[in-house]
Amino acid sequence: MKTITKVAWSNNRKNKTRSVLIMLTIFLTTFLLSAIATFGYGQIRYQSVNAEEFYGSWFGSYARVTEEKITEVEKRSEFDRIGRTASVGEVENERKMSLVWMDEETIRLTNMEKQLQDGTFPIQENEIAGQQEMFGFLGYADAKPGDVVRIPFRRSMGEKYQEREFRISGILKPVLTEQENQAYSAYVSKSCYEGLYAPGERIYNIYFTLSDAVPVNSSTLEITIKDLAEKCGINSENAAENGYYSLWVLDPGTEMIAGCVVVALVVVFFAVLVIYNIFQVGLAQKIQEYGKIRALGATRRQMKKLVFREGMLLAVPCIPLGLAAGTASAIFFMNAWLSGSEVFGNEDAVPVNMVSAPLLLLCAAAAALTVWAALKHPMKVTSRISPVEAIRFQGESRNKHGMRKGRKQIDVRQLTRANMAMNRKRTVATVISMGLSCVLFVVVANFTGNVSTEYDARKAVPYGQFQIDLTYSTRDAAYPENNLDSILRKNPLDEDLVEEIKKLDGVTDVRIRYMTYLRDRDGNLGSVGVLDREQFEDEAYQGSLKGEVDYDQASENGEILYGWSYFLEESGYSLGDTVTLTLGNAGGETEFCGTMAGAFGSANYDWLITDQTYEQLGLSGKSISTIWVDCDARDCGTVRSGLEHLMEDRQHYELSSYQGALETSESSLGMMETLCYGFLFLVGLIAFMNMANTMIMSIITRKRELGVMQAIGMTNRQMNRMLRSEGILFTLGSVAVSLIVGMPAGYALFRYGREHGFFGLDIYHIPFAEILVMILVLTVLQISLSYVLSRNVKKESIVERIRYQE
């Protein structure tokens, strides 16, 4: 046994290049496995421990619940803690502001007590608590607990605003990310709410937890709370689950564990390919040596042990080093990511231990099994070596007749092809293994390349740098002048305003969209958007279009489309119905009768028609609903100031900017992009590891051959060209494999993500930039490796190269 170990140790020392490459592969494999395990375990632990801090401790909620229904909920043993909240009214302000009441249980369930920065939540009828920014917009810039403020608000759109005096009881923490046109909520006391609403008028939202006796997990939670709602006489459509909290509390990390296992298996698969490829390439160079050992009396079992110990002796120092480095890197990445996260990096979060000894032992075992799996075939081949056949072995560079084809003259290109064809199996194996390493890169690039904050921002502001939207109500009984029909008759966004905007310094383009108001058969007020061809096709391209309709068909037939396909069934209409409406704008009213040909996903209008259909209505005027203003990015400040000046004397509008929408998207998608690109870095590391190993072995194992060719006349320049050409062929083959396999798989992943509502996935596009970067990096690395290795080869004399024995 000691003799076999000594021979294995001697072989490893003799084959230094192979040993170094295998050790590097084992180290990187263990590094990646431990990093993935530590990151996954740390994420699960951190989220589980801090789930209540981040998401509240409620399992579900019911909206629009009466006192009688709450009594039914309280009677059922399935519910544990139950809290109430209610909308008190809306505040009169250009910003969206509301007054809310929450009882103490809801404050605890939603974790609101930690949002209190100073003071207390309201107790007395005249007390209020809110964010300092909200009080600032109401004219109280330096608001603090104890100050008296006057708040104009109303309970509903059927009432006029009333001003009421409140004393500030507490100041809430500011929002994590101040968004453009940010909405705010202030909180009042129970006595204030009950003083404004009679018992029969009170409608609540309730938050609740479930008792331990309810068998539920994150997958069945939604169904469970909807079933319970129906048993209590509550509309199940008004039920909602606290998905993130239930995910980490009921099924702590199930999806994370599954994801980490999949990624770890991918790492193991590629590592097996790499280690096997190195051993297999080296095996052809050592057939005669192993044959001699067999001739000296070694049994098949001893030959297997020899190869096995060669690999395991290399793994012994690399696995603990990989564990230490991978764990340290994962902890560093997690800490950096958490500290930079506005949600997960707050000071109230509980730090956790991210290191799991059993997981690290499992990673070490997985790394050892990876080496064993990679050695299985070389062990089998070595054990079957016949001493006679081994001594007669001349490599695999022969054709089917046992002789190598020759030519009178041969150039570098033909020599490159001949070298690649000499060992087709090795060439194909190298290309496939490198290509499969890059497949994962392509798959991830298809996902991350389509996670775009720009796409997400463009859903809010489709064109230009600024967007001016008409704001209106459709059911304000107390202030009918705020309703859409009254506003359009005044036409606040008119053609004169558009012309003034075009004259502003820095403005490069202005686009508009028209609209009308409608009254349906029941007299309800609504909106109708007017789309030109480009806008129509943009809406259709966003997806969720129901019905088969296009711009030309809708224009020719005077058809109409519903604006919210998700709520089509609730509208009372079906595709193909004849729709009769009264349409109007600043130019008067007219009757419309047309077929409902389809429904857009979410077009921000109740109904939509084409501009050609609009022209056929015969309305004398045109009312603008949206104005888009474009300019160079450097002129945004000047143009915004100009727009705000023009809009000073106008009402019923909201100004948004592309940059503001982009910042909102970036704050929402930043975490996902960090995770995806961090994972992409690991994938790139795998691809580089595989590529470097295969390329280095391809050159080192042919050192004698290169020396012989130079001895018969090949110049250094020709050798460089040949090696560079071989590297390019390897790269092209790898890229072809990665695209053929990776693109369909990447598109499937994108479709899955979009169907499941993953952030930032809207419109698919081929990730050309990422793929080009991959090709460029592979090409540069291949050429660089060829150049460096050819320099090392040239440092040795031709005689030394010819005499080289691996």
Side-chain angles (χ1 to χ4, degrees), residues 26-27 29-35 37 268 312 315-316 318-324 327 356-372:
I26 297 171
F27 169 80
T29 300
T30 313
F31 173 92
L32 291 172
L33 290 175
S34 58
V268 169
M312 287 305 171
V316 169
C318 297
I319 290 178
L321 289 175
L323 290 175
T327 303
S356 168
L359 268 181
L360 292 182
L361 290 175
L362 183 62
C363 290
L369 287 174
T370 299
V371 178
W372 173 80

PDB file of all heavy atoms in Angstrom, residues 26-27 29-35 37 268 312 315-316 318-324 327 356-372:
ATOM      1  N   ILE A  26      -9.578  21.537  -8.331  1.00  0.00           N
ATOM      2  CA  ILE A  26     -10.175  21.077  -7.075  1.00  0.00           C
ATOM      3  C   ILE A  26     -10.365  22.249  -6.118  1.00  0.00           C
ATOM      4  O   ILE A  26     -11.410  22.371  -5.454  1.00  0.00           O
ATOM      5  CB  ILE A  26      -9.304  19.985  -6.431  1.00  0.00           C
ATOM      6  CG1 ILE A  26      -9.229  18.762  -7.348  1.00  0.00           C
ATOM      7  CG2 ILE A  26      -9.850  19.599  -5.059  1.00  0.00           C
ATOM      8  CD1 ILE A  26      -8.214  17.723  -6.908  1.00  0.00           C
ATOM      9  N   PHE A  27      -9.385  23.125  -6.056  1.00  0.00           N
ATOM     10  CA  PHE A  27      -9.499  24.306  -5.184  1.00  0.00           C
ATOM     11  C   PHE A  27     -10.689  25.172  -5.598  1.00  0.00           C
ATOM     12  O   PHE A  27     -11.508  25.576  -4.751  1.00  0.00           O
ATOM     13  CB  PHE A  27      -8.204  25.119  -5.244  1.00  0.00           C
ATOM     14  CG  PHE A  27      -8.321  26.472  -4.596  1.00  0.00           C
ATOM     15  CD1 PHE A  27      -8.249  26.618  -3.222  1.00  0.00           C
ATOM     16  CD2 PHE A  27      -8.517  27.603  -5.377  1.00  0.00           C
ATOM     17  CE1 PHE A  27      -8.366  27.868  -2.623  1.00  0.00           C
ATOM     18  CE2 PHE A  27      -8.642  28.856  -4.800  1.00  0.00           C
ATOM     19  CZ  PHE A  27      -8.567  28.989  -3.412  1.00  0.00           C
ATOM     20  N   THR A  29     -13.272  24.332  -7.410  1.00  0.00           N
ATOM     21  CA  THR A  29     -14.535  23.612  -7.206  1.00  0.00           C
ATOM     22  C   THR A  29     -14.975  23.700  -5.755  1.00  0.00           C
ATOM     23  O   THR A  29     -16.133  24.016  -5.456  1.00  0.00           O
ATOM     24  CB  THR A  29     -14.362  22.135  -7.607  1.00  0.00           C
ATOM     25  OG1 THR A  29     -13.979  22.064  -8.982  1.00  0.00           O
ATOM     26  CG2 THR A  29     -15.653  21.362  -7.397  1.00  0.00           C
ATOM     27  N   THR A  30     -14.049  23.423  -4.838  1.00  0.00           N
ATOM     28  CA  THR A  30     -14.383  23.508  -3.411  1.00  0.00           C
ATOM     29  C   THR A  30     -14.717  24.939  -3.023  1.00  0.00           C
ATOM     30  O   THR A  30     -15.625  25.189  -2.212  1.00  0.00           O
ATOM     31  CB  THR A  30     -13.207  23.000  -2.557  1.00  0.00           C
ATOM     32  OG1 THR A  30     -12.721  21.769  -3.087  1.00  0.00           O
ATOM     33  CG2 THR A  30     -13.633  22.799  -1.119  1.00  0.00           C
ATOM     34  N   PHE A  31     -13.980  25.882  -3.598  1.00  0.00           N
ATOM     35  CA  PHE A  31     -14.256  27.304  -3.347  1.00  0.00           C
ATOM     36  C   PHE A  31     -15.691  27.645  -3.720  1.00  0.00           C
ATOM     37  O   PHE A  31     -16.430  28.263  -2.942  1.00  0.00           O
ATOM     38  CB  PHE A  31     -13.269  28.160  -4.159  1.00  0.00           C
ATOM     39  CG  PHE A  31     -13.546  29.631  -4.113  1.00  0.00           C
ATOM     40  CD1 PHE A  31     -12.951  30.433  -3.163  1.00  0.00           C
ATOM     41  CD2 PHE A  31     -14.401  30.228  -5.030  1.00  0.00           C
ATOM     42  CE1 PHE A  31     -13.192  31.797  -3.118  1.00  0.00           C
ATOM     43  CE2 PHE A  31     -14.662  31.578  -5.004  1.00  0.00           C
ATOM     44  CZ  PHE A  31     -14.051  32.365  -4.041  1.00  0.00           C
ATOM     45  N   LEU A  32     -16.101  27.236  -4.921  1.00  0.00           N
ATOM     46  CA  LEU A  32     -17.447  27.556  -5.393  1.00  0.00           C
ATOM     47  C   LEU A  32     -18.508  26.840  -4.568  1.00  0.00           C
ATOM     48  O   LEU A  32     -19.529  27.436  -4.202  1.00  0.00           O
ATOM     49  CB  LEU A  32     -17.586  27.185  -6.872  1.00  0.00           C
ATOM     50  CG  LEU A  32     -16.780  28.044  -7.846  1.00  0.00           C
ATOM     51  CD1 LEU A  32     -16.839  27.453  -9.241  1.00  0.00           C
ATOM     52  CD2 LEU A  32     -17.309  29.467  -7.857  1.00  0.00           C
ATOM     53  N   LEU A  33     -18.285  25.571  -4.266  1.00  0.00           N
ATOM     54  CA  LEU A  33     -19.266  24.820  -3.475  1.00  0.00           C
ATOM     55  C   LEU A  33     -19.448  25.436  -2.093  1.00  0.00           C
ATOM     56  O   LEU A  33     -20.575  25.619  -1.616  1.00  0.00           O
ATOM     57  CB  LEU A  33     -18.836  23.364  -3.346  1.00  0.00           C
ATOM     58  CG  LEU A  33     -18.903  22.503  -4.618  1.00  0.00           C
ATOM     59  CD1 LEU A  33     -18.324  21.123  -4.351  1.00  0.00           C
ATOM     60  CD2 LEU A  33     -20.327  22.398  -5.128  1.00  0.00           C
ATOM     61  N   SER A  34     -18.349  25.756  -1.429  1.00  0.00           N
ATOM     62  CA  SER A  34     -18.451  26.340  -0.087  1.00  0.00           C
ATOM     63  C   SER A  34     -19.032  27.744  -0.128  1.00  0.00           C
ATOM     64  O   SER A  34     -19.791  28.140   0.770  1.00  0.00           O
ATOM     65  CB  SER A  34     -17.076  26.353   0.597  1.00  0.00           C
ATOM     66  OG  SER A  34     -16.140  27.089  -0.171  1.00  0.00           O
ATOM     67  N   ALA A  35     -18.698  28.504  -1.186  1.00  0.00           N
ATOM     68  CA  ALA A  35     -19.257  29.853  -1.317  1.00  0.00           C
ATOM     69  C   ALA A  35     -20.764  29.790  -1.527  1.00  0.00           C
ATOM     70  O   ALA A  35     -21.530  30.558  -0.924  1.00  0.00           O
ATOM     71  CB  ALA A  35     -18.586  30.585  -2.478  1.00  0.00           C
ATOM     72  N   ALA A  37     -22.788  27.293  -0.692  1.00  0.00           N
ATOM     73  CA  ALA A  37     -23.418  26.783   0.526  1.00  0.00           C
ATOM     74  C   ALA A  37     -23.479  27.849   1.609  1.00  0.00           C
ATOM     75  O   ALA A  37     -24.512  28.022   2.281  1.00  0.00           O
ATOM     76  CB  ALA A  37     -22.658  25.559   1.028  1.00  0.00           C
ATOM     77  N   VAL A 268     -20.404  20.936  -9.829  1.00  0.00           N
ATOM     78  CA  VAL A 268     -19.814  19.591  -9.758  1.00  0.00           C
ATOM     79  C   VAL A 268     -19.697  18.988 -11.149  1.00  0.00           C
ATOM     80  O   VAL A 268     -18.679  18.368 -11.504  1.00  0.00           O
ATOM     81  CB  VAL A 268     -20.662  18.687  -8.840  1.00  0.00           C
ATOM     82  CG1 VAL A 268     -20.239  17.233  -8.970  1.00  0.00           C
ATOM     83  CG2 VAL A 268     -20.533  19.147  -7.399  1.00  0.00           C
ATOM     84  N   MET A 312      -6.454  11.838  -5.316  1.00  0.00           N
ATOM     85  CA  MET A 312      -6.785  12.186  -3.943  1.00  0.00           C
ATOM     86  C   MET A 312      -5.627  12.869  -3.213  1.00  0.00           C
ATOM     87  O   MET A 312      -5.840  13.722  -2.352  1.00  0.00           O
ATOM     88  CB  MET A 312      -7.220  10.936  -3.167  1.00  0.00           C
ATOM     89  CG  MET A 312      -8.605  10.449  -3.561  1.00  0.00           C
ATOM     90  SD  MET A 312      -9.839  11.762  -3.378  1.00  0.00           S
ATOM     91  CE  MET A 312     -11.274  11.011  -4.158  1.00  0.00           C
ATOM     92  N   ALA A 315      -6.035  16.296  -3.947  1.00  0.00           N
ATOM     93  CA  ALA A 315      -7.226  16.904  -3.350  1.00  0.00           C
ATOM     94  C   ALA A 315      -7.036  17.249  -1.882  1.00  0.00           C
ATOM     95  O   ALA A 315      -7.652  18.189  -1.371  1.00  0.00           O
ATOM     96  CB  ALA A 315      -8.415  15.959  -3.508  1.00  0.00           C
ATOM     97  N   VAL A 316      -6.193  16.498  -1.192  1.00  0.00           N
ATOM     98  CA  VAL A 316      -6.049  16.659   0.263  1.00  0.00           C
ATOM     99  C   VAL A 316      -5.712  18.090   0.673  1.00  0.00           C
ATOM    100  O   VAL A 316      -6.367  18.660   1.555  1.00  0.00           O
ATOM    101  CB  VAL A 316      -5.012  15.664   0.812  1.00  0.00           C
ATOM    102  CG1 VAL A 316      -4.654  16.004   2.261  1.00  0.00           C
ATOM    103  CG2 VAL A 316      -5.550  14.239   0.727  1.00  0.00           C
ATOM    104  N   CYS A 318      -6.026  20.847  -1.211  1.00  0.00           N
ATOM    105  CA  CYS A 318      -6.843  21.850  -1.920  1.00  0.00           C
ATOM    106  C   CYS A 318      -8.225  22.007  -1.320  1.00  0.00           C
ATOM    107  O   CYS A 318      -8.790  23.100  -1.323  1.00  0.00           O
ATOM    108  CB  CYS A 318      -6.974  21.469  -3.393  1.00  0.00           C
ATOM    109  SG  CYS A 318      -5.405  21.447  -4.260  1.00  0.00           S
ATOM    110  N   ILE A 319      -8.796  20.912  -0.812  1.00  0.00           N
ATOM    111  CA  ILE A 319     -10.168  20.987  -0.292  1.00  0.00           C
ATOM    112  C   ILE A 319     -10.261  21.901   0.930  1.00  0.00           C
ATOM    113  O   ILE A 319     -11.122  22.792   0.964  1.00  0.00           O
ATOM    114  CB  ILE A 319     -10.699  19.571   0.011  1.00  0.00           C
ATOM    115  CG1 ILE A 319     -10.939  18.830  -1.308  1.00  0.00           C
ATOM    116  CG2 ILE A 319     -11.976  19.635   0.849  1.00  0.00           C
ATOM    117  CD1 ILE A 319     -11.411  17.403  -1.145  1.00  0.00           C
ATOM    118  N   PRO A 320      -9.418  21.772   1.959  1.00  0.00           N
ATOM    119  CA  PRO A 320      -9.530  22.709   3.096  1.00  0.00           C
ATOM    120  C   PRO A 320      -9.240  24.154   2.704  1.00  0.00           C
ATOM    121  O   PRO A 320      -9.885  25.085   3.208  1.00  0.00           O
ATOM    122  CB  PRO A 320      -8.504  22.182   4.096  1.00  0.00           C
ATOM    123  CG  PRO A 320      -7.609  21.278   3.326  1.00  0.00           C
ATOM    124  CD  PRO A 320      -8.425  20.719   2.229  1.00  0.00           C
ATOM    125  N   LEU A 321      -8.271  24.348   1.777  1.00  0.00           N
ATOM    126  CA  LEU A 321      -7.992  25.713   1.322  1.00  0.00           C
ATOM    127  C   LEU A 321      -9.199  26.297   0.589  1.00  0.00           C
ATOM    128  O   LEU A 321      -9.557  27.472   0.778  1.00  0.00           O
ATOM    129  CB  LEU A 321      -6.767  25.725   0.408  1.00  0.00           C
ATOM    130  CG  LEU A 321      -5.412  25.471   1.086  1.00  0.00           C
ATOM    131  CD1 LEU A 321      -4.304  25.381   0.035  1.00  0.00           C
ATOM    132  CD2 LEU A 321      -5.102  26.582   2.087  1.00  0.00           C
ATOM    133  N   GLY A 322      -9.833  25.489  -0.245  1.00  0.00           N
ATOM    134  CA  GLY A 322     -11.015  25.945  -0.963  1.00  0.00           C
ATOM    135  C   GLY A 322     -12.167  26.257  -0.033  1.00  0.00           C
ATOM    136  O   GLY A 322     -12.899  27.244  -0.215  1.00  0.00           O
ATOM    137  N   LEU A 323     -12.341  25.423   1.004  1.00  0.00           N
ATOM    138  CA  LEU A 323     -13.394  25.675   1.990  1.00  0.00           C
ATOM    139  C   LEU A 323     -13.184  27.013   2.694  1.00  0.00           C
ATOM    140  O   LEU A 323     -14.124  27.804   2.849  1.00  0.00           O
ATOM    141  CB  LEU A 323     -13.439  24.548   3.022  1.00  0.00           C
ATOM    142  CG  LEU A 323     -13.940  23.175   2.555  1.00  0.00           C
ATOM    143  CD1 LEU A 323     -13.802  22.169   3.677  1.00  0.00           C
ATOM    144  CD2 LEU A 323     -15.390  23.260   2.089  1.00  0.00           C
ATOM    145  N   ALA A 324     -11.954  27.252   3.120  1.00  0.00           N
ATOM    146  CA  ALA A 324     -11.657  28.494   3.839  1.00  0.00           C
ATOM    147  C   ALA A 324     -11.851  29.711   2.951  1.00  0.00           C
ATOM    148  O   ALA A 324     -12.498  30.695   3.343  1.00  0.00           O
ATOM    149  CB  ALA A 324     -10.225  28.440   4.380  1.00  0.00           C
ATOM    150  N   THR A 327     -15.691  30.166   1.938  1.00  0.00           N
ATOM    151  CA  THR A 327     -16.495  30.655   3.058  1.00  0.00           C
ATOM    152  C   THR A 327     -16.207  32.122   3.344  1.00  0.00           C
ATOM    153  O   THR A 327     -17.128  32.927   3.534  1.00  0.00           O
ATOM    154  CB  THR A 327     -16.203  29.821   4.318  1.00  0.00           C
ATOM    155  OG1 THR A 327     -16.479  28.441   4.031  1.00  0.00           O
ATOM    156  CG2 THR A 327     -17.052  30.279   5.482  1.00  0.00           C
ATOM    157  N   SER A 356     -21.885  27.115   8.593  1.00  0.00           N
ATOM    158  CA  SER A 356     -22.457  25.858   9.069  1.00  0.00           C
ATOM    159  C   SER A 356     -21.418  24.756   8.893  1.00  0.00           C
ATOM    160  O   SER A 356     -21.050  24.411   7.767  1.00  0.00           O
ATOM    161  CB  SER A 356     -23.730  25.519   8.289  1.00  0.00           C
ATOM    162  OG  SER A 356     -24.143  24.200   8.536  1.00  0.00           O
ATOM    163  N   ALA A 357     -20.938  24.205  10.007  1.00  0.00           N
ATOM    164  CA  ALA A 357     -19.927  23.142   9.942  1.00  0.00           C
ATOM    165  C   ALA A 357     -20.428  21.908   9.184  1.00  0.00           C
ATOM    166  O   ALA A 357     -19.696  21.356   8.349  1.00  0.00           O
ATOM    167  CB  ALA A 357     -19.477  22.768  11.350  1.00  0.00           C
ATOM    168  N   PRO A 358     -21.657  21.431   9.433  1.00  0.00           N
ATOM    169  CA  PRO A 358     -22.136  20.271   8.652  1.00  0.00           C
ATOM    170  C   PRO A 358     -22.169  20.548   7.147  1.00  0.00           C
ATOM    171  O   PRO A 358     -21.834  19.662   6.347  1.00  0.00           O
ATOM    172  CB  PRO A 358     -23.546  20.044   9.202  1.00  0.00           C
ATOM    173  CG  PRO A 358     -23.508  20.606  10.583  1.00  0.00           C
ATOM    174  CD  PRO A 358     -22.604  21.788  10.492  1.00  0.00           C
ATOM    175  N   LEU A 359     -22.562  21.776   6.764  1.00  0.00           N
ATOM    176  CA  LEU A 359     -22.602  22.110   5.330  1.00  0.00           C
ATOM    177  C   LEU A 359     -21.191  22.115   4.737  1.00  0.00           C
ATOM    178  O   LEU A 359     -20.991  21.658   3.610  1.00  0.00           O
ATOM    179  CB  LEU A 359     -23.259  23.479   5.121  1.00  0.00           C
ATOM    180  CG  LEU A 359     -24.762  23.491   4.881  1.00  0.00           C
ATOM    181  CD1 LEU A 359     -25.244  24.920   4.658  1.00  0.00           C
ATOM    182  CD2 LEU A 359     -25.129  22.627   3.690  1.00  0.00           C
ATOM    183  N   LEU A 360     -20.233  22.639   5.482  1.00  0.00           N
ATOM    184  CA  LEU A 360     -18.863  22.662   4.976  1.00  0.00           C
ATOM    185  C   LEU A 360     -18.307  21.244   4.840  1.00  0.00           C
ATOM    186  O   LEU A 360     -17.584  20.942   3.879  1.00  0.00           O
ATOM    187  CB  LEU A 360     -17.977  23.499   5.903  1.00  0.00           C
ATOM    188  CG  LEU A 360     -18.282  25.010   5.928  1.00  0.00           C
ATOM    189  CD1 LEU A 360     -17.302  25.730   6.845  1.00  0.00           C
ATOM    190  CD2 LEU A 360     -18.212  25.601   4.529  1.00  0.00           C
ATOM    191  N   LEU A 361     -18.653  20.381   5.782  1.00  0.00           N
ATOM    192  CA  LEU A 361     -18.242  18.975   5.659  1.00  0.00           C
ATOM    193  C   LEU A 361     -18.895  18.340   4.434  1.00  0.00           C
ATOM    194  O   LEU A 361     -18.269  17.540   3.732  1.00  0.00           O
ATOM    195  CB  LEU A 361     -18.616  18.209   6.918  1.00  0.00           C
ATOM    196  CG  LEU A 361     -17.816  18.557   8.193  1.00  0.00           C
ATOM    197  CD1 LEU A 361     -18.379  17.796   9.399  1.00  0.00           C
ATOM    198  CD2 LEU A 361     -16.335  18.225   7.998  1.00  0.00           C
ATOM    199  N   LEU A 362     -20.154  18.710   4.192  1.00  0.00           N
ATOM    200  CA  LEU A 362     -20.850  18.194   3.009  1.00  0.00           C
ATOM    201  C   LEU A 362     -20.177  18.691   1.732  1.00  0.00           C
ATOM    202  O   LEU A 362     -20.041  17.945   0.751  1.00  0.00           O
ATOM    203  CB  LEU A 362     -22.311  18.625   3.050  1.00  0.00           C
ATOM    204  CG  LEU A 362     -23.204  18.095   1.919  1.00  0.00           C
ATOM    205  CD1 LEU A 362     -23.270  16.570   1.967  1.00  0.00           C
ATOM    206  CD2 LEU A 362     -24.606  18.691   2.038  1.00  0.00           C
ATOM    207  N   CYS A 363     -19.743  19.957   1.735  1.00  0.00           N
ATOM    208  CA  CYS A 363     -19.030  20.509   0.575  1.00  0.00           C
ATOM    209  C   CYS A 363     -17.707  19.776   0.350  1.00  0.00           C
ATOM    210  O   CYS A 363     -17.331  19.492  -0.789  1.00  0.00           O
ATOM    211  CB  CYS A 363     -18.773  22.007   0.782  1.00  0.00           C
ATOM    212  SG  CYS A 363     -20.248  23.027   0.719  1.00  0.00           S
ATOM    213  N   ALA A 364     -17.003  19.506   1.448  1.00  0.00           N
ATOM    214  CA  ALA A 364     -15.739  18.766   1.329  1.00  0.00           C
ATOM    215  C   ALA A 364     -15.987  17.376   0.751  1.00  0.00           C
ATOM    216  O   ALA A 364     -15.240  16.903  -0.126  1.00  0.00           O
ATOM    217  CB  ALA A 364     -15.063  18.666   2.697  1.00  0.00           C
ATOM    218  N   ALA A 365     -17.053  16.718   1.246  1.00  0.00           N
ATOM    219  CA  ALA A 365     -17.383  15.387   0.719  1.00  0.00           C
ATOM    220  C   ALA A 365     -17.767  15.478  -0.753  1.00  0.00           C
ATOM    221  O   ALA A 365     -17.383  14.617  -1.560  1.00  0.00           O
ATOM    222  CB  ALA A 365     -18.525  14.791   1.533  1.00  0.00           C
ATOM    223  N   ALA A 366     -18.517  16.527  -1.118  1.00  0.00           N
ATOM    224  CA  ALA A 366     -18.913  16.698  -2.516  1.00  0.00           C
ATOM    225  C   ALA A 366     -17.700  16.927  -3.406  1.00  0.00           C
ATOM    226  O   ALA A 366     -17.626  16.402  -4.531  1.00  0.00           O
ATOM    227  CB  ALA A 366     -19.888  17.868  -2.641  1.00  0.00           C
ATOM    228  N   ALA A 367     -16.733  17.710  -2.919  1.00  0.00           N
ATOM    229  CA  ALA A 367     -15.518  17.944  -3.695  1.00  0.00           C
ATOM    230  C   ALA A 367     -14.731  16.642  -3.881  1.00  0.00           C
ATOM    231  O   ALA A 367     -14.222  16.352  -4.973  1.00  0.00           O
ATOM    232  CB  ALA A 367     -14.649  18.992  -3.000  1.00  0.00           C
ATOM    233  N   ALA A 368     -14.645  15.832  -2.794  1.00  0.00           N
ATOM    234  CA  ALA A 368     -13.937  14.552  -2.893  1.00  0.00           C
ATOM    235  C   ALA A 368     -14.657  13.609  -3.850  1.00  0.00           C
ATOM    236  O   ALA A 368     -14.016  12.911  -4.660  1.00  0.00           O
ATOM    237  CB  ALA A 368     -13.817  13.923  -1.502  1.00  0.00           C
ATOM    238  N   LEU A 369     -15.986  13.590  -3.778  1.00  0.00           N
ATOM    239  CA  LEU A 369     -16.764  12.756  -4.705  1.00  0.00           C
ATOM    240  C   LEU A 369     -16.616  13.233  -6.139  1.00  0.00           C
ATOM    241  O   LEU A 369     -16.648  12.432  -7.082  1.00  0.00           O
ATOM    242  CB  LEU A 369     -18.239  12.765  -4.294  1.00  0.00           C
ATOM    243  CG  LEU A 369     -18.597  11.955  -3.042  1.00  0.00           C
ATOM    244  CD1 LEU A 369     -20.049  12.169  -2.653  1.00  0.00           C
ATOM    245  CD2 LEU A 369     -18.331  10.464  -3.281  1.00  0.00           C
ATOM    246  N   THR A 370     -16.454  14.537  -6.315  1.00  0.00           N
ATOM    247  CA  THR A 370     -16.236  15.085  -7.655  1.00  0.00           C
ATOM    248  C   THR A 370     -14.942  14.533  -8.245  1.00  0.00           C
ATOM    249  O   THR A 370     -14.895  14.123  -9.409  1.00  0.00           O
ATOM    250  CB  THR A 370     -16.178  16.625  -7.596  1.00  0.00           C
ATOM    251  OG1 THR A 370     -17.422  17.125  -7.098  1.00  0.00           O
ATOM    252  CG2 THR A 370     -15.913  17.214  -8.975  1.00  0.00           C
ATOM    253  N   VAL A 371     -13.892  14.546  -7.436  1.00  0.00           N
ATOM    254  CA  VAL A 371     -12.610  13.997  -7.894  1.00  0.00           C
ATOM    255  C   VAL A 371     -12.760  12.508  -8.203  1.00  0.00           C
ATOM    256  O   VAL A 371     -12.278  12.022  -9.226  1.00  0.00           O
ATOM    257  CB  VAL A 371     -11.522  14.231  -6.833  1.00  0.00           C
ATOM    258  CG1 VAL A 371     -10.193  13.627  -7.286  1.00  0.00           C
ATOM    259  CG2 VAL A 371     -11.352  15.727  -6.557  1.00  0.00           C
ATOM    260  N   TRP A 372     -13.441  11.785  -7.318  1.00  0.00           N
ATOM    261  CA  TRP A 372     -13.641  10.345  -7.532  1.00  0.00           C
ATOM    262  C   TRP A 372     -14.419  10.092  -8.820  1.00  0.00           C
ATOM    263  O   TRP A 372     -14.057   9.199  -9.598  1.00  0.00           O
ATOM    264  CB  TRP A 372     -14.382   9.764  -6.337  1.00  0.00           C
ATOM    265  CG  TRP A 372     -14.782   8.329  -6.528  1.00  0.00           C
ATOM    266  CD1 TRP A 372     -14.000   7.219  -6.392  1.00  0.00           C
ATOM    267  CD2 TRP A 372     -16.083   7.859  -6.908  1.00  0.00           C
ATOM    268  NE1 TRP A 372     -14.722   6.082  -6.663  1.00  0.00           N
ATOM    269  CE2 TRP A 372     -16.006   6.447  -6.986  1.00  0.00           C
ATOM    270  CE3 TRP A 372     -17.293   8.484  -7.193  1.00  0.00           C
ATOM    271  CZ2 TRP A 372     -17.104   5.663  -7.332  1.00  0.00           C
ATOM    272  CZ3 TRP A 372     -18.382   7.716  -7.533  1.00  0.00           C
ATOM    273  CH2 TRP A 372     -18.287   6.310  -7.610  1.00  0.00           C
TER     274      TRP A 372
END
